[in-house]
Amino acid sequence: MTTRLSATSMPLAGVAMPAYDPESCGAGIVHIGVGAFHKAHQAVYTDTAMGLAGGDWRITGVSLRSADVASALNPQDGRYLLMVRDEAGDSARLIGSIAKVVVAPAEPDAVIQAVASPETRIVTLTVTEKAYGIDRATGGVDVTHDVITHDLNNPTTPKGLVGFLIAGLSRRREREAGPLTILCCDNLPENGRLVRRIVLDFAERVEPALAQWIARTVTFPSSMVDRITPATTSQTLQDAERLSGFSDMAAVETEPFSQWIVEDNFAAGRPEWEAAGALFVEDVAPYEKMKLRLLNGTHSLLAYAGFLAGHETVGEAVRNEALRAIAERQMQASAATLPPVPGIDLDAYRAELLARFANRAIRHLTYQIAMDGTEKLPQRICAPLGETLAANGDACAFAFAVAAWMRYCLGVTDDGRSYDLQDPRQAAIAARLDGVPRDADAIFDALSALQDVFPKELAGDPRMRGRVVEALSTILELGMAEAIRVHARRQVDRTRI
């Protein structure tokens, strides 16, 4: 039986090791949402920064739901292998920046204490969009959200992200533990401002004086993160054991590319992440919007259309020449909605994205990316579509993505296999589609009425309706694989006119 990876598993032949002694460094960061992406991104930047500049910046991880990540990392003293895959081969590095992981349902007070600790100077976040409980109409908390409702009524025994933040901040204020930075690392527009608005709204409902203290004491910088990170599989774990000689239940795989752009607004110091390659700027918004619309928006198109066309991975989907052409058209249209992005050549950025998507060494599943569509479409597809129409542009470039999502909402493949939508509004989608015939107009009417996904002015625009219904009709009639080819030809024909 192979020995489990741990702090004593050193050195590992052929594996890059931490350039510092992790156990000699204190924990200064709490990270909520320790998943594959965090382990491939922020934890790696922190590991590199500590190796170069030192500091008590190890990470106390928090899992809001499952104990799996704690069961994987804690017996390994927080150690895990980062495997970087490209077509030239794999490389491996041992990461030591995570000190431990706390499971919120099992140890709720430990989470609150971690946020309240004076040693904690930064709380970072990577959770699903639905975990924030956003009311998209007001920008505050959604008081109809089950977890938000519970936490508002039980502020000292929270279950959700915002509730734990408020409970920790309340205790921090009581103990005079000092200022704090809450750094969102999720794919949300102006994510720092968004989280600040949610936190203050929640706090105001619980205790107005706490909201005032938070406004004075806590900063909420925005950030943009980028690194394609597939879910860990049994193959990931097998390869980690092959490379290290140890059993590693927390290994993660990722691509060579990594980017982190951060607003430099920290209340109590930070690691020297810039030494690890992070870029600190005054305004993250242009970079956020670029990534949301070009990378994430294209990912959504490839996920819905690719999954229904039988492509298991993004790499397979983007190597479909017709689907790639549709993706390129959407990227061009999205780029036209962007403000200037300092230091970025958008043509080169789009070409680099397509090359990254096509990396044969990365198995990024279309079904994985397709989850939570109602949370993702508003900023990835609907926002640039609305701006394009407002400028009297053509909705055609975005229509196929919207139509593909609507077809995906039917929950069955062209050959009759059912699948779960993995969407927080799955029940609402099912209710909208109940009794609706398999007709493009009827499906469009049912789903475009989801106002938290499609604003009224967008759903009611005949130019959008015409293009989406046309694309959806073709998908329903011919099946997704053939519809992709037909739509790509239509794009070429329209371009020639």
Side-chain angles (χ1 to χ4, degrees):
M1 183 175 179
T2 308
T3 304
R4 186 82 174 265
L5 184 70
S6 72
T8 60
S9 304
M10 296 191 225
L12 304 179
V15 175
M17 305 298 288
Y20 62 101
D21 176 17
E23 273 64 40
S24 70
C25 300
I29 299 172
V30 170
H31 181 81
I32 302 178
V34 183
F37 182 77
H38 172 69
K39 291 191 292 179
H41 193 274
Q42 300 97 39
V44 177
Y45 280 88
T46 302
D47 189 78
T48 303
M50 292 174 67
L52 292 170
D56 292 324
W57 292 113
R58 290 189 85 197
I59 299 162
T60 299
V62 174
S63 173
L64 288 174
R65 294 181 296 176
S66 171
D68 291 351
V69 67
S71 297
L73 276 168
N74 289 344
Q76 299 180 182
D77 303 311
R79 306 298 203 277
Y80 63 95
L81 251 66
L82 173 80
M83 293 188 296
V84 177
R85 298 194 190 275
D86 66 18
E87 295 180 20
D90 300 341
S91 62
R93 169 181 170 183
L94 186 72
I95 303 299
S97 56
I98 297 178
K100 65 178 179 180
V101 177
V102 178
V103 182
E107 305 174 84
D109 196 68
V111 178
I112 296 170
Q113 176 57 30
V115 176
S117 170
E119 284 74 34
T120 298
R121 287 165 282 169
I122 300 172
V123 175
T124 54
L125 312 172
T126 52
V127 296
T128 61
E129 287 90 340
K130 61 189 173 188
Y132 289 96
I134 307 165
D135 183 334
R136 294 194 181 276
T138 67
V141 292
D142 178 0
V143 296
T144 68
H145 187 284
D146 290 347
V147 176
I148 294 291
T149 300
H150 172 276
D151 291 355
L152 284 170
N153 292 327
N154 304 275
T156 61
T157 56
K159 293 183 177 180
L161 169 68
V162 183
F164 275 113
L165 290 175
I166 294 300
L169 290 170
S170 178
R171 188 176 296 181
R172 193 177 185 91
R173 178 184 60 150
E174 291 168 4
R175 296 182 177 181
E176 298 182 349
L180 184 73
T181 295
I182 296 177
L183 175 62
C184 179
C185 301
D186 282 311
N187 292 319
L188 296 165
E190 297 185 292
N191 52 19
R193 293 172 180 81
L194 182 147
V195 174
R196 184 178 191 274
R197 175 76 180 92
I198 293 169
V199 168
L200 291 177
D201 184 31
F202 191 109
E204 185 71 33
R205 295 170 188 271
V206 173
E207 184 189 350
L210 175 60
Q212 294 168 11
W213 178 86
I214 292 171
R216 294 193 306 268
T217 312
V218 182
T219 60
F220 296 83
S222 291
S223 77
M224 186 272 270
V225 298
D226 187 3
R227 193 168 209 184
I228 294 171
T229 306
T232 294
T233 66
S234 59
Q235 187 64 53
T236 310
L237 304 185
Q238 290 172 26
D239 288 347
E241 183 172 332
R242 173 178 55 82
L243 289 167
S244 69
F246 291 86
S247 171
D248 179 2
M249 303 308 295
V252 64
E253 61 181 85
T254 191
E255 64 169 335
F257 180 91
S258 184
Q259 188 177 55
W260 196 6
I261 298 173
V262 191
E263 180 185 357
D264 202 354
N265 181 23
F266 288 76
R270 59 173 176 77
E272 291 193 25
W273 283 320
E274 64 269 48
L279 176 64
F280 286 86
V281 299
E282 291 185 8
D283 185 9
V284 174
Y287 301 92
E288 280 180 343
K289 188 176 286 188
M290 174 189 72
K291 193 234 177 178
L292 278 167
R293 297 187 178 188
L294 296 184
L295 190 155
N296 300 120
T298 309
H299 252 173
S300 290
L301 163 67
L302 293 171
Y304 297 119
F307 176 82
L308 289 168
H311 299 306
E312 187 179 9
T313 68
V314 171
E316 292 172 12
V318 82
R319 288 192 291 273
N320 177 324
E321 291 186 9
L323 185 52
R324 181 186 178 107
I326 296 170
E328 289 177 328
R329 175 75 178 276
Q330 180 179 301
M331 293 173 83
Q332 290 168 358
S334 294
T337 69
L338 297 175
V341 186
I344 300 293
D345 179 329
L346 289 179
D347 289 338
Y349 180 76
R350 295 202 307 270
E352 183 179 40
L353 284 180
L354 291 168
R356 290 168 59 197
F357 293 163
N359 182 353
R360 293 178 184 273
I362 293 290
R363 287 185 52 79
H364 206 182
L365 301 182
T366 51
Y367 185 59
Q368 176 192 350
I369 298 166
M371 70 186 298
D372 297 338
T374 57
E375 295 286 335
K376 297 172 178 177
L377 254 65
Q379 59 267 21
R380 297 182 178 194
I381 303 294
C382 295
L385 171 55
E387 291 172 21
T388 297
L389 292 175
N392 293 317
D394 187 359
C396 183
F398 301 99
F400 199 80
V402 176
W405 174 76
M406 289 184 170
R407 170 62 186 84
Y408 184 85
C409 286
L410 299 183
V412 60
T413 62
D414 288 333
D415 60 3
R417 290 178 293 113
S418 298
Y419 51 86
D420 187 85
L421 297 189
Q422 304 185 98
D423 193 289
R425 294 172 179 80
Q426 186 163 339
I429 291 170
R432 291 280 180 189
L433 292 173
D434 186 33
V436 171
R438 194 179 169 92
D439 171 81
D441 282 289
I443 293 170
F444 179 90
D445 288 341
L447 295 178
S448 65
L450 292 166
Q451 292 183 14
D452 47 0
V453 181
F454 300 99
K456 281 185 177 180
E457 60 274 16
L458 180 60
D461 192 309
R463 295 170 296 175
M464 172 193 168
R465 180 193 180 93
R467 293 299 196 198
V468 173
V469 168
E470 177 187 41
L472 184 55
S473 295
T474 304
I475 293 169
L476 293 171
E477 178 185 354
L478 302 178
M480 182 59 78
E482 181 60 25
I484 288 170
R485 290 188 283 271
V486 169
H487 190 78
R489 287 198 300 270
R490 285 176 181 165
Q491 282 189 166
V492 171
D493 292 341
R494 286 180 176 128
T495 302
R496 289 171 177 166
I497 294 174

